[in-house]
């Protein structure tokens, strides 16, 4: 029983360490897919820069 809890603890820590990098990887893939789609369709991204009057 003690060995099973040890394995579960190691697995839980591994998942906690892996989760942020997996989330970031999936986020990057989604952004890349959106950029490729925008290149194919020929539309430009909206201008999101701030135009402040001086």
């Amino acid at each position: 029983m003690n060995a099973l809890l040890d394995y579960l603890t190691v697995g839980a820590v591994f998942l906690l360490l892996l989760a942020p990098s997996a989330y970031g990887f999936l986020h990057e893939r989604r952004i890349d897919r959106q950029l490729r789609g925008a290149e194919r369709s020929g539309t430009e991204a909206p201008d999101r820069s701030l135009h402040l009057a001086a």
Side-chain angles (χ1 to χ4, degrees), residues 7-42:
Y7 283 122
L8 289 176
T9 302
V10 169
V13 169
F14 177 73
L15 287 176
L16 285 173
L17 291 174
L18 181 68
S21 63
Y23 177 78
F25 176 73
L26 294 175
H27 181 71
E28 290 284 330
R29 285 190 55 176
R30 182 177 58 88
I31 290 173
D32 289 342
R33 192 169 44 246
Q34 289 174 346
L35 289 173
R36 279 193 305 266
E39 282 180 353
R40 283 190 205 120
S41 67

